[in-house]
């Protein structure tokens, strides 16, 4: 399933202005096709991880532009189900990212470990709610009753 830029922004919590800036510095976000659904659930997860790095750690998104492709690659390599019980180990010096089952001993001088369980749970809830609100009825309701008879014969 693919998500629109508006769904990605709403789920991750980015304003329109912030999203425009992120699209300039994060190549994976620049690939969106206007308002059409073009972002995978992995893209949404990677964006949420980047959002946590900017909000909680205080790193500017421009400084994460070199590590962002590795985060997007790992988040898109597996389903949300497969990633739910894993953690991302992000090595900022080597610009690498791997998913691991345990985060007991990450190696490197500047390593960030991001547990995905709560993040995936929150994203699933938000994405399901955004899909339910955006999905229009395919057909309007129709009253069921006797068929209407035409008057007059030609």
């Amino acid at each position: 399933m693919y998500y629109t830029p508006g769904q990605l922004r709403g789920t991750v919590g980015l304003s329109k202005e912030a999203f425009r800036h992120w699209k300039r510095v994060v190549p994976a976000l620049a690939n969106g096709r206007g308002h059409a659904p073009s972002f995978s659930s992995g893209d949404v997860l990677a964006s949420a991880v980047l959002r946590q790095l900017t909000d909680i750690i205080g790193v500017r998104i421009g400084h994460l532009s070199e590590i962002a492709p590795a985060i997007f690659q790992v988040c898109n390599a597996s389903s949300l189900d497969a990633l739910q019980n894993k953690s991302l180990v992000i090595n900022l010096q080597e610009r690498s990212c791997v998913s691991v089952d345990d985060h007991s001993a990450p190696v490197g001088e500047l390593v960030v470990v991001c547990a995905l369980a709560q993040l995936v749970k929150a994203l699933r809830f938000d994405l399901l709610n955004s899909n339910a609100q955006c999905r229009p009825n395919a057909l309007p309701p129709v009253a069921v009753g006797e068929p209407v008879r035409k008057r007059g014969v030609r």
Side-chain angles (χ1 to χ4, degrees):
M1 176 172 265
Y2 287 93
Y3 302 96
T4 65
Q7 288 172 311
L8 183 139
R9 282 188 309 101
T11 301
V12 176
L14 293 173
S15 67
K16 286 183 180 183
E17 295 79 19
F19 185 67
R20 279 190 210 112
H21 176 65
W22 281 40
K23 281 173 49 173
R24 284 194 294 272
V25 296
V26 179
L29 294 177
N31 295 334
R33 300 180 311 257
H35 298 288
S38 56
F39 295 105
S40 68
S41 55
D43 293 335
V44 177
L45 178 60
S47 299
V49 169
L50 290 174
R51 177 68 192 245
Q52 284 196 327
L53 291 173
T54 59
D55 286 359
I56 295 172
I57 298 177
V59 179
R60 292 182 176 202
I61 191 65
H63 295 148
L64 296 172
S65 63
E66 292 182 7
I67 188 66
I71 295 171
F72 275 85
Q73 182 179 12
V74 170
C75 290
N76 279 303
S78 301
S79 68
L80 289 183
D81 288 333
L83 291 171
Q84 183 167 0
N85 295 319
K86 295 187 181 254
S87 295
L88 290 186
V89 176
I90 304 165
N91 187 324
L92 297 172
Q93 281 185 316
E94 294 179 9
R95 295 175 186 89
S96 65
C97 177
V98 294
S99 63
V100 296
D101 291 324
D102 63 9
H103 52 275
S104 56
V107 179
E109 289 184 36
L110 190 55
V111 176
V112 176
V113 177
C114 180
L116 297 177
Q118 289 298 321
L119 192 55
V120 169
K121 183 178 177 181
L123 288 177
R124 271 204 180 112
F125 179 79
D126 289 344
L127 290 172
L128 285 174
N129 283 340
S130 72
N131 278 342
Q133 292 171 357
C134 293
R135 191 177 317 146
N137 291 336
L139 297 172
V142 177
V144 177
E146 289 187 28
V148 178
R149 292 186 227 181
K150 291 185 179 181
R151 293 187 182 184
V153 179
R154 291 190 174 193

